[in-house]
Structure formats: structure tokens, C-alpha cells
Amino acid sequence: MSGYVARVRHDNPPNGTAEFDRLVESVARRWAAVDPLLPGPSHPKFNTNPVLTVSDEKGRPMAVGTMRYSWYQPGEAGRTWGVPDQHWITPLVGGSDPEGALDSLLTSWRDQLEELPTGTGSESAALLTWPARDVCGVRPLQRHGMQPVTVMAVRQRRRGVPPALPPRDVTIRLADIQDLAAVVSLVMEEHRYEEHFGNVFIQPETAEQTRRVAARALSRNPSWIWLAERRGRPVGLLWVSPPHRARWVAPLVSESPAAYIGYGAVAEEERGQGIGTCLVSHAHHALDTHGIAVTLLNYAVMNPLSGPFWHRMGYRPLWTTWEVRPALALR
């Protein structure tokens, strides 16, 4: 590790762009080898956010990390999805020793966090997202005290379980604005369950924020929200964002168009009866019919229900988000 030199850059890349082009090419080759659904890596954007560089003894960059800070004020929707102070780094790690280069990058990032005057208190976190199949990153991430917290999983078109029929007295249909109260109730039930895993923090404003977002989605035709009812009583839902409303996920996967499943919920007393499978089957049929190449979703690593369920539905890990709280607990 001692052969690596780290520094923070706020201006142009040291030694010009050619060496950084080679670094990005190295990352692209490794990503393509470990997972064909990973996108091509993007070049670091200097002059936008601070960029931490790690170079070898000859000055060749072996890793770069773009640092970003987010702070969510009380009342902002972001407070529902994590701690208020979030320190992110977006790493690109290449060369012949990516494990060592990542280790050095994380050490240097820790040094940068120590120098910050604010934002590293008890309600802070240090986070990064790493390709799930790029296992060379696991040991350095663990050595620095980080743990996997969420997975972004992917399903390719027409891969998954065969079409499934719901239980005899359950019907599945597209929801509309008349179903607003039921949709909000089921989403809030999912939020309350997800709180157990430390990735959701229900705020006083969360229910109203959820109602506003759901009202917009349900006012569209189609809503892309499937509702399961047992004898007229709502018992589950699946909320999909089609490609034109899920543009933010497009850069995270090599195939397109890409859709995103934001919520999948079944009432606690109704779980284990095939309702979730039937909701997903309905959604997959619609997605495949519309020619959508890939569908993505997130689940908490510690959730004992989500991971096994989505794997049975044909999804597998694409990206993993690693985190340590508070931020200065990064070793």
C-alpha cells in the first residue's frame, strides 16, 4: 500500500487526461469481465466536485474518487431515506492491484473527512456504491469498517418465474386515483417494516410526502401501480416507474430501456400466500410486452424477506451500497 500517493484535486487532472483515459479503460475492462450488465465507467468530472486521486510511484493514477456531500434539512424527503449528513465517494479503481488502490483511496478519504469542520457528527454516514460482482473491493471495504447496506438488483427481459395466478379470492388490477388512501397505507406499512434495517427513518412529513407522490402517479393513465385485493380489501401493491420516469437508473446498467420498481408491499397478515408473486408476474408481463430490457430495484441487505423473494423473481445483485456510521468511524 505504501507505493501509492494520494492527493485532492479541485482543478484539472494531474499530468493531463491521457493517464486518466487509461485508468477508465482499465476499469471498463474489469467491469465488462465481471458483469456484462455494468455500464461503461464515466470519467471523473474535475471542476465539479473534489476528486481524490491515488497514483503509483511513477505518478500514474490507479484510482480516483469523486467526493460529494449531501445534507437534508428537517422536512425534506431525503430525511426518510438516510441520516441527514451523507458523505459519498464515487470510486474508479483500476490497474493491476485494484484491492490495494482501493485501500489507499479509502485511507485518503478518511483523512479528508477528518479535516472537515462540520457534517461528521453522530447523524452522519460515509457511503459508496460498488459493483456487486467486483469482489476485489470486499476486503478493503471491510478493513475500513464499511458494511453492505443495500443492493440494487436487476432482471433482464423475460427472465424470472412463469406467470402465476393469484389466490382464488384475490384480484389484481391497475390502481387509479380512487385508490390513493389504500396505496399510501400499504407504502407506509412497508416504510415501518423497513425502519428495522436502518435505511428508512419515518419523519412527521413522510405520510404527506408519500400521499403527494402517490397522487401524481395515480393521476396518470396507466398508473403502473398494481393493486391486489382480497374480496375488495387492498392487501398488496407493486409500484413501477417505466423508463420515461426512471431516467436516473439508465446510467447504472448497460442495457436499455430500464424500468425501476420503487415499492413492493404485501400486508403482513397476507404474506406467504403468493400475492407478491402474482403482482410481480403482472408487472413483468407488462414490462416485457412494452419491450423494456431491464428492470431494477433496491432492497436492504438485512431484510430477511426481500432478498430471497426478489431472487426467486429473477433478480440478482448489480450494485451494492456500503456504509459506515458515523462518517468518522471509517477506519
Side-chain angles (χ1 to χ4, degrees), residues 299-329:
Y299 62 82
V301 171
M302 294 302 297
N303 188 324
L305 304 179
S306 290
F309 173 79
W310 289 115
H311 295 172
R312 292 198 305 271
M313 298 301 104
Y315 291 79
R316 55 89 167 171
L318 181 66
W319 297 95
T320 303
T321 296
W322 293 69
E323 180 182 49
V324 61
R325 299 178 192 169
L328 286 182

Side-chain angles (χ1 to χ4, degrees), residues 200-216:
V200 172
F201 302 85
I202 295 177
Q203 306 295 307
E205 306 82 11
T206 302
E208 176 57 25
Q209 291 165 346
T210 300
R211 190 197 66 80
R212 289 198 299 266
V213 174
R216 286 197 298 270

